[in-house]
Amino acid sequence: MIYLDYSATTPVDERVLDSYCKVTREFIGNANSIHTLGVRSKELLMQATNQIAEILNCHPKELIFTSGASESNTTAIKGVAFKYCKRGKHIITSKLEHKSVLEVMGYLSNIGYDVDFVDIQPNGQIDLKHLEELIRDDTILVSICAVNSETGFKQPLKTIRQVINKKNPNVIFHSDLTQALGKTRFYLSDLDLASFSSHKIYAPKGIGILYKRRDLQIDTLIYGTTENCPFRGGTPALPLIVSFAKAMRLINDKLESNIKKCEKLKIELLKGLSKYPIQINSNDLCVPQIVNFSLLKIKSETFVHALERYEIYVSTTTACSSLEESTVLKALSNGNKDVSTTSIRVSLSHLTTMEEVHKFLEIFDKVWNELLLKWEK
């Protein structure tokens, strides 16, 4: 098997899984309980939270544990929208966002909020001049992802923050950092809110983080809050939180070397793909772990299933929108369906080997010729 869909989800690191199992077995107390078992669990919770805060360079009280990035995105956007609706109901986002962002924007639009989409430049970055033009006195939120999950386009968060502050310093800036964590450097000091998910960095599914600047107030999405969970009701998922902390430490320790390895893999992959009449959608502004290209003549779903016969696993758009036309490429190609309905995403990892890239290219050639022949008939 050759797995090349790491941006959809990652296998759990054995060391992370060991931590999960150990905590599950040995820390059975609810961290909200006042007895000895609860106190032990709370101490471990604080230890894991402090470790994550140190890695992210933020205060532990700025971290809210959620079920994943989709909940974090929803909490951030609805939390700001409802808290600051008297200040204004104008929100700015982009077509580069994950489905969890786009759908909540649609919901807010339906109940009276004014949602604008900033233009995307041909290089995949947002148009900063257009962003500045869109910001108004009644703008309350800008939500722009750091790394697009389909193409890998990176956004200049610091510059976006500067544009916001110049036009209206009261605007809150949220970014979905799901695809940035473990793939590139970022700084929470540029943001007011940020979303993360554990299963993108070799930890179990079901745990995420919402970073919330300490002095920022937002409305609660899930009620039943406690001292340990002041902004999100529920019992702390201690084994998952500890696992997330462990995975974050492991990925952070080798971030630079992992990036360099993926850069080499990407170069080799693009070299092999260069002989085909396809459109490469990822560029030098993208993270090296994601390579997106459009086949132009062959539907992406058909190609993905053809590769699957050889136990090679890639994806089309995102895992949450895998059977839908790519909204990102639709926006970038001015609605060209040959581009937006034939895209393939190959996502690499430090676990990927050069041999796997070569094998993928070998099978790609075989499948390409098979399907092209059928298409021409």
Side-chain angles (χ1 to χ4, degrees):
M1 180 187 79
I2 298 178
Y3 185 72
L4 297 172
D5 198 19
Y6 288 95
S7 289
T9 194
T10 57
V12 179
D13 188 297
E14 286 293 333
R15 295 165 292 180
V16 174
L17 186 58
D18 287 344
S19 294
Y20 176 86
C21 293
K22 180 180 176 64
V23 174
T24 300
R25 286 192 302 263
E26 299 179 11
F27 291 81
I28 64 171
N30 186 328
N32 292 325
S33 299
I34 62 172
H35 52 60
T36 304
L37 294 179
V39 171
R40 286 186 66 231
S41 293
K42 182 177 179 179
E43 289 174 348
L44 184 60
L45 172 64
M46 293 301 101
Q47 180 183 336
T49 304
N50 289 336
Q51 289 172 351
I52 294 173
E54 183 177 354
I55 292 170
L56 295 178
N57 194 26
C58 67
H59 194 281
K61 290 187 180 296
E62 294 179 316
L63 301 176
I64 302 169
F65 292 104
T66 67
S67 63
S70 290
E71 183 188 328
S72 296
N73 286 335
T74 303
T75 302
I77 295 166
K78 291 178 74 173
V80 169
F82 296 154
K83 184 70 176 181
Y84 300 97
C85 59
K86 292 182 179 179
R87 183 193 295 175
K89 288 191 172 184
H90 182 233
I91 299 172
I92 300 170
T93 188
S94 79
K95 295 291 186 180
L96 297 168
E97 308 307 308
H98 185 263
K99 190 174 183 179
S100 61
V101 171
L102 295 176
E103 288 196 353
V104 74
M105 293 296 180
Y107 163 76
L108 291 173
S109 181
N110 288 336
I111 63 172
Y113 286 79
D114 186 8
V115 179
D116 274 326
F117 290 88
V118 64
D119 291 342
I120 307 169
Q121 298 181 104
N123 66 4
Q125 291 193 331
I126 66 165
D127 187 328
L128 295 170
K129 184 177 180 181
H130 186 228
L131 173 63
E132 185 175 358
E133 292 171 354
L134 287 177
I135 297 173
R136 312 186 313 217
D137 290 341
D138 63 337
T139 305
I140 56 174
L141 176 68
V142 170
S143 182
I144 304 291
C145 62
V147 175
N148 173 255
S149 59
E150 292 183 39
T151 58
F153 292 135
K154 290 191 294 185
Q155 301 301 322
L157 298 183
K158 182 175 288 295
T159 307
I160 293 173
R161 168 96 269 175
Q162 291 169 347
V163 170
I164 293 171
N165 288 348
K166 176 184 176 183
K167 192 70 179 289
N168 184 351
N170 291 321
V171 173
I172 295 163
F173 184 22
H174 164 256
S175 183
D176 182 354
L177 298 184
T178 306
Q179 294 292 343
L181 186 62
K183 293 184 176 73
T184 188
R185 291 285 181 190
F186 55 82
Y187 301 95
L188 292 182
S189 57
D190 296 326
L191 303 165
D192 300 303
L193 294 157
S195 304
F196 301 94
S197 191
S198 65
H199 72 100
K200 307 294 186 180
I201 60 165
Y202 315 91
K205 301 171 182 66
I207 184 73
I209 291 174
L210 173 62
Y211 159 79
K212 182 188 72 66
R213 199 187 72 230
R214 200 174 180 186
D215 60 344
L216 176 68
Q217 295 297 312
I218 61 173
D219 264 13
T220 297
L221 181 66
I222 298 178
Y223 293 91
T225 59
T226 63
E227 179 186 355
N228 294 326
C229 305
F231 287 95
R232 194 256 194 190
T235 300
L238 187 59
L240 290 172
I241 293 169
V242 171
S243 300
F244 202 168
K246 181 66 171 287
M248 203 173 284
R249 293 200 307 273
L250 292 172
I251 204 74
N252 189 64
D253 287 345
K254 294 191 175 181
L255 179 61
E256 298 303 332
S257 61
N258 288 346
I259 290 173
K260 289 180 181 179
K261 179 178 181 181
C262 289
E263 286 173 345
K264 292 179 181 178
L265 295 171
K266 180 179 180 180
I267 290 171
E268 189 69 11
L269 177 60
L270 291 174
K271 178 182 175 183
L273 292 173
S274 63
K275 67 178 183 179
Y276 300 94
I278 62 177
Q279 177 174 308
I280 304 296
N281 300 313
S282 300
N283 57 29
D284 292 340
L285 295 176
C286 296
V287 293
Q289 296 88 349
I290 299 176
V291 177
N292 185 291
F293 53 90
S294 294
L295 301 167
L296 302 179
K297 295 180 179 180
I298 304 169
K299 294 294 183 183
S300 52
E301 185 182 353
T302 303
F303 207 88
V304 167
H305 289 311
L307 289 174
E308 191 178 5
R309 296 201 306 268
Y310 298 92
E311 294 191 313
I312 294 178
Y313 300 93
V314 298
S315 64
T316 53
T317 54
T318 66
C320 297
S321 310
S322 57
L323 296 179
E324 301 173 11
E325 180 182 7
S326 169
T327 56
V328 175
L329 296 178
K330 183 178 180 180
L332 285 171
S333 64
N334 294 318
N336 187 340
K337 284 188 174 292
D338 286 341
V339 174
S340 60
T341 63
T342 68
S343 64
I344 299 291
R345 180 185 69 181
V346 174
S347 44
L348 307 167
S349 160
H350 63 279
L351 300 178
T352 307
T353 66
M354 193 64 77
E355 290 73 23
E356 287 178 327
V357 170
H358 291 154
K359 185 64 176 179
F360 166 77
L361 290 170
E362 176 188 328
I363 299 302
F364 179 93
D365 186 74
K366 186 173 183 177
V367 170
W368 170 269
N369 288 313
E370 289 174 356
L371 293 180
L372 193 62
L373 184 62
K374 289 181 181 180
W375 181 84
E376 289 174 343
K377 287 182 178 180

